[in-house]
Amino acid sequence: MELREGICDLYKEGYTAQEIKDLFYPQFTEDQIGYVVKLAGISRPTGKRVILNHHYFERIDSSDKAYWLGLLTADGSVVYNKNKGDSYSISLGLETNDKYLIERFAKDIETNLSVKDYIRTDGFIKKGEHERRISKLVINSKIMKEDLEKYGVVE
């Protein structure tokens, strides 16, 4: 219980989930820290207005759009978030050394959302194995989800 309280206290003081993770609790993911804060009923508006071309995949009329569609099919995901008011998360995650691709994708879909870096352990790490470092962009757009669905990118 003390750990949860400590995370919540830091969040209330203005620390972001990323800062809390980096400074105090590196064994947790940013999402896990956000989940603890959400369970405690604490919210803090960021004031950040998200910019995104929701209609980017309305028509696949360029080689770039076809490339991103293929990459999303191979390495992306669409997840339904019933706890977030019927929203959909579309994410693209790659090894960190390919982060430049995700940043280019973010530029093409005209978003101001950040590409974030994570350390992924996928459960237990066996002796001699290394943590995976991934970069990921997560967007929420029902319109984009519906357009991607037309091309077979589904939940």
Side-chain angles (χ1 to χ4, degrees):
M1 193 62 145
E2 290 177 14
L3 179 63
R4 287 182 184 175
E5 290 172 1
I7 289 171
C8 292
D9 288 345
L10 290 169
Y11 193 80
K12 287 178 193 175
E13 289 176 23
Y15 284 88
T16 66
Q18 176 72 42
E19 290 170 331
I20 294 169
K21 179 191 92 61
D22 290 346
L23 295 173
F24 304 101
Y25 303 105
Q27 70 271 27
F28 296 110
T29 67
E30 195 174 329
D31 289 341
Q32 289 170 322
I33 290 172
Y35 182 72
V36 167
V37 170
K38 183 178 178 180
L39 277 181
I42 301 167
S43 65
R44 179 177 69 216
T46 62
K48 181 178 181 180
R49 182 176 176 267
V50 175
I51 298 169
L52 171 67
N53 179 356
H54 293 274
H55 299 281
Y56 182 80
F57 289 108
E58 189 171 26
R59 277 190 293 302
I60 306 301
D61 54 4
S62 72
S63 58
D64 284 346
K65 288 181 182 182
Y67 178 79
W68 297 131
L69 178 64
L71 195 59
L72 281 168
T73 302
D75 292 314
S77 67
V78 176
V79 178
Y80 172 65
N81 301 310
K82 69 178 180 179
N83 294 335
K84 292 186 178 181
D86 294 332
S87 70
Y88 290 86
S89 293
I90 301 159
S91 65
L92 178 60
L94 299 171
E95 296 287 334
T96 300
N97 59 345
D98 293 326
K99 182 177 183 176
Y100 71 96
L101 288 170
I102 301 173
E103 290 170 339
R104 179 156 173 235
F105 174 64
K107 182 179 177 187
D108 283 0
I109 62 173
E110 302 166 34
T111 187
N112 63 342
L113 294 170
S114 301
V115 177
K116 297 186 179 175
D117 296 324
Y118 298 91
I119 296 175
R120 196 157 171 196
T121 58
D122 291 330
F124 297 102
I125 299 176
K126 296 178 184 172
K127 187 175 182 178
E129 290 183 355
H130 299 283
E131 300 169 326
R132 289 180 54 212
R133 297 187 182 279
I134 63 167
S135 296
K136 191 175 192 180
L137 175 68
V138 179
I139 57 175
N140 294 300
S141 173
K142 187 173 183 180
I143 294 168
M144 191 176 285
K145 170 259 185 200
E146 289 170 351
D147 287 340
L148 288 169
E149 221 169 44
K150 296 186 296 190
Y151 305 108
V153 180
V154 294
E155 185 178 5

